Amino acid sequence: MNDLVNSALHVEGLSVELGGARILDDISFGVDPGTTLAIIGASGCGKTTLLKTLAGLIEPISGRIRLGAAQVEHVPPHRRGIVYLNQEPLLFPHLDVFENVAFGLRMQHLPEAQVRARVTHMLVQLELDGLEQRSPHALSGGQRQRAAFGRALIIEPALLLLDEPFSSLDPATRRAMQALFRRIASGLNSTALFVTHDLRETLTMGDQVAMMRAGRLHTYADREAFCLDPATGVMREATFWQDLAVGATRDARHDTDTAGS
Amino acid sequence: MTRRALMLAVSVLLVLPVVLLALLSVSRHWSWPVLLPHAWQWTQWRELLAGQADLCAVLLRSLGISVSVGLLATGLAFPTSRAVARHRQRGRLLALSHIPFALSPVVLGVALLYGFMQLGLAGHIIGVVAAQLIFAYAYAVILLSGFWNERVHALAALAGTLHANRWQVWRHVLFPVARPMLGVCFFQTFLVSWFDYALVLLIGGGQVTTLTMRLYGYFGSGDLRLAATCALLLLLPPLVALVVHHRLPATAVAVHFEVSRE
């Protein structure tokens, strides 16, 4: 798939057990710098556990995690440079939009002028300018998600972990958020892992693609390999839509013929 | 209409004892069945304001003890409740927290007295604070354990990945989010201490006098007017706190709901 040695993220032999059950089983993969690896998998296959383990929120029983040149499997979460974004946009309820986005910068004690400039720039990029003083509960779902993205991206993490971030949004907002994320992440050259259970989203968001099943990760050389693997269900999905389109065309032709005669 | 009448009746029932105490504290002669006192006097209040009845000093001492107990119990119980909430034996630990209630303050006081005498804490204000703290701390742990849900843990974990170290997570996330709940906890533990009689009597051994003890003393001596004045003083701090924080429970619920909802 990619050169593991030169990857931004390199995971080797990662295994996790929770409550005596093996959740991640000997996982190895790499992610190239400035790219997004999209991982698809059914609920309960271990996607969230993988992200939380990479973020340092779950302790693995074995395996190595290298981020850039540093081994980070024993580094505490706040020193890893990895941001984990939950399925729902967990904004801090006691802070307004500006302070939510500024949170990571404030924790690093950056100068006030720098914080103001960077947050203001990020809010404009996120199309949240004018909502700085709003409290999280006064935002729509899409706005909350954008604020959560801004808060994560502004600290320029070495790795961004996104756990089905658009699953709770309506289709139109979801598409807009996908485009927005691609644009901002590309501008910042962010390296990301994007977990989803949606085929289309996997192919839209991922520069590289992988599939997770029963705690094991299968990575693909390219999108074509992913699409041709029967296990991913891409061909099945394509056939379904193709049949539907053919059927609709045949019905339309039949209606036209009937009307003509 | 019925609802309004019921509300009025409940309000009158709640306010009437306070009005009665206020009238009693300024009456000189008041006999049944006359509605209001025949004669008035301000002796009790004059004595109080002049410091002759020593009530001001007792009031300040009581406030000092209760504020200390409230602050210490809330401050200690907050991290404890988190540790309990994250512990595998959460249910068992919470059950253990109920032990001071099962004992009751009187039995707890008797149980503590011997140890406190050995430590030189009996008859000392620190001993009273320590004894009340055991009771209030357990109460606060139980109260605050309800705060720690999955969302709060997720917020703390998220802050950790956003460069916040352990102390910053407490300072910038957990304390602000829990503030309304901590306010309620402080108020409740303050009241536990403020109205306590048994522990002050047993551990204080007559050396430490609080307003509650003084109130019992006045009733015992038959000076009902001074007792009424003292009772009004006893009511004052909780009433002020209630007025100041009259929106607190609603806010606490709102913030907690918001944290749960997000």
Side-chain angles (χ1 to χ4, degrees), chain B residues 70-85:
Chain B
L71 285 176
L72 285 169
T74 306
L76 293 171
F78 192 42
T80 309
S81 63
R82 189 191 192 205
V84 168

Side-chain angles (χ1 to χ4, degrees), chain A residues 78 88 91 93-94 107 151, chain B residues 151 158 160 168 172 258 262:
Chain A
H78 69 276
E88 290 171 56
L91 295 178
H94 59 292
M107 294 306 103
R151 183 180 58 188
Chain B
R151 299 285 173 178
L158 176 75
Q168 286 173 317
H172 295 287
E258 192 179 313
E262 263 191 46

Side-chain angles (χ1 to χ4, degrees), chain A residues 57 77-78 82-84 86 88-94 103-104 107-109 136-137 144 151 155, chain B residues 151 154-166 168 172-173 176-177 255 258-259 261-262:
Chain A
L57 304 175
H78 69 276
I82 297 176
V83 174
Y84 169 69
N86 220 312
E88 290 171 56
L90 274 176
L91 295 178
F92 299 118
H94 59 292
F103 186 86
M107 294 306 103
Q108 296 172 76
H109 305 291
H137 72 263
R144 283 148 67 118
R151 183 180 58 188
I155 60 173
Chain B
R151 299 285 173 178
L155 278 176
L158 176 75
T161 68
L162 291 167
H163 291 312
N165 60 32
R166 200 174 288 180
Q168 286 173 317
H172 295 287
V173 179
V177 170
V255 169
E258 192 179 313
V259 168
R261 189 170 58 89
E262 263 191 46

Side-chain angles (χ1 to χ4, degrees), chain A residues 119-139:
Chain A
V119 173
T120 305
H121 179 65
M122 180 57 78
L123 289 174
V124 171
Q125 279 191 290
L126 294 165
E127 297 160 20
L128 286 173
D129 44 325
L131 302 177
E132 295 89 342
Q133 310 299 321
R134 286 259 182 102
S135 80
H137 72 263
L139 298 176

Side-chain angles (χ1 to χ4, degrees), chain B residues 113-190:
Chain B
L113 188 57
Y114 179 74
F116 275 35
M117 282 169 73
Q118 300 298 314
L119 293 168
L121 291 172
H124 199 279
I125 200 164
I126 295 174
V128 172
V129 170
Q132 288 183 342
L133 187 60
I134 293 171
F135 198 78
Y137 173 62
Y139 178 77
V141 168
I142 294 165
L143 188 73
L144 291 174
S145 62
F147 168 75
W148 301 103
N149 57 31
E150 282 303 313
R151 299 285 173 178
V152 174
H153 290 310
L155 278 176
L158 176 75
T161 68
L162 291 167
H163 291 312
N165 60 32
R166 200 174 288 180
W167 164 240
Q168 286 173 317
V169 170
W170 279 99
R171 188 181 162 204
H172 295 287
V173 179
L174 298 178
F175 274 119
V177 170
R179 193 178 294 153
M181 196 79 173
L182 293 173
V184 171
C185 185
F186 169 75
F187 184 53
Q188 296 284 338
T189 47
F190 172 88

Side-chain angles (χ1 to χ4, degrees), chain B residues 3 16 21 35 57 65 74 88 108 126 135 142 179 198 205 230 234 242 250:
Chain B
R3 197 174 165 185
L16 208 60
L21 282 174
L35 195 61
I65 290 172
T74 306
R88 282 184 196 165
L108 185 69
I126 295 174
F135 198 78
I142 294 165
R179 193 178 294 153
C230 185
L234 199 65
L242 262 182

Side-chain angles (χ1 to χ4, degrees), chain A:
Chain A
M1 155 184 193
N2 52 19
D3 180 2
L4 294 185
V5 179
N6 295 318
S7 303
L9 172 71
H10 178 200
V11 176
E12 197 179 325
L14 194 69
S15 293
V16 168
E17 281 187 5
L18 294 174
R22 179 68 65 101
I23 309 297
L24 299 183
D25 190 11
D26 195 25
I27 284 181
S28 299
F29 67 98
V31 184
D32 294 335
T35 64
T36 296
L37 169 66
I39 301 174
I40 190 168
S43 298
C45 69
K47 305 187 298 286
T48 298
T49 304
L50 173 62
L51 296 196
K52 285 188 171 177
T53 307
L54 295 176
L57 304 175
I58 292 175
E59 192 77 26
I61 54 166
S62 63
R64 294 162 71 82
I65 305 167
R66 185 168 55 74
L67 195 59
Q71 291 298 139
V72 297
E73 63 267 16
H74 300 301
V75 176
H78 69 276
R79 294 215 185 106
R80 286 197 184 193
I82 297 176
V83 174
Y84 169 69
L85 275 183
N86 220 312
Q87 288 177 352
E88 290 171 56
L90 274 176
L91 295 178
F92 299 118
H94 59 292
L95 299 177
D96 61 20
V97 171
F98 187 95
E99 288 304 324
N100 258 288
V101 175
F103 186 86
L105 303 180
R106 297 232 186 266
M107 294 306 103
Q108 296 172 76
H109 305 291
L110 294 186
E112 180 64 22
Q114 196 181 332
V115 171
R116 294 227 150 258
R118 284 175 65 176
V119 173
T120 305
H121 179 65
M122 180 57 78
L123 289 174
V124 171
Q125 279 191 290
L126 294 165
E127 297 160 20
L128 286 173
D129 44 325
L131 302 177
E132 295 89 342
Q133 310 299 321
R134 286 259 182 102
S135 80
H137 72 263
L139 298 176
S140 69
Q143 288 169 335
R144 283 148 67 118
Q145 193 60 271
R146 273 184 274 161
F149 268 138
R151 183 180 58 188
L153 289 167
I154 201 166
I155 60 173
E156 296 174 11
L159 180 67
L160 189 59
L161 305 172
L162 302 132
D163 193 351
E164 298 184 42
F166 308 134
S167 58
S168 59
L169 301 177
D170 63 81
T173 313
R174 189 174 185 149
R175 278 194 296 277
M177 287 299 298
Q178 288 168 349
L180 184 77
F181 171 74
R182 295 284 296 173
R183 182 161 49 82
I184 297 177
S186 162
L188 293 169
N189 201 31
S190 302
T191 305
L193 247 73
F194 192 104
V195 154
T196 179
H197 57 256
D198 185 271
L199 267 177
R200 188 171 164 172
E201 195 164 66
T202 307
L203 293 165
T204 308
M205 300 305 292
D207 301 300
Q208 307 158 236
V209 283
M211 185 172 186
M212 195 152 188
R213 268 193 304 183
R216 298 188 74 96
L217 190 76
H218 181 68
T219 51
Y220 294 89
D222 50 38
R223 284 164 185 238
E224 192 183 351
F226 176 79
C227 293
L228 290 174
D229 183 355
T232 63
V234 175
M235 296 312 289
R236 213 167 36 246
E237 189 85 357
T239 309
F240 170 79
W241 289 110
Q242 208 166 12
D243 290 350
L244 201 70
V246 169
T249 311
R250 194 188 306 125
D251 289 347
R253 199 173 294 153
H254 179 258
D255 289 346
T256 314
D257 293 347
T258 311
S261 62

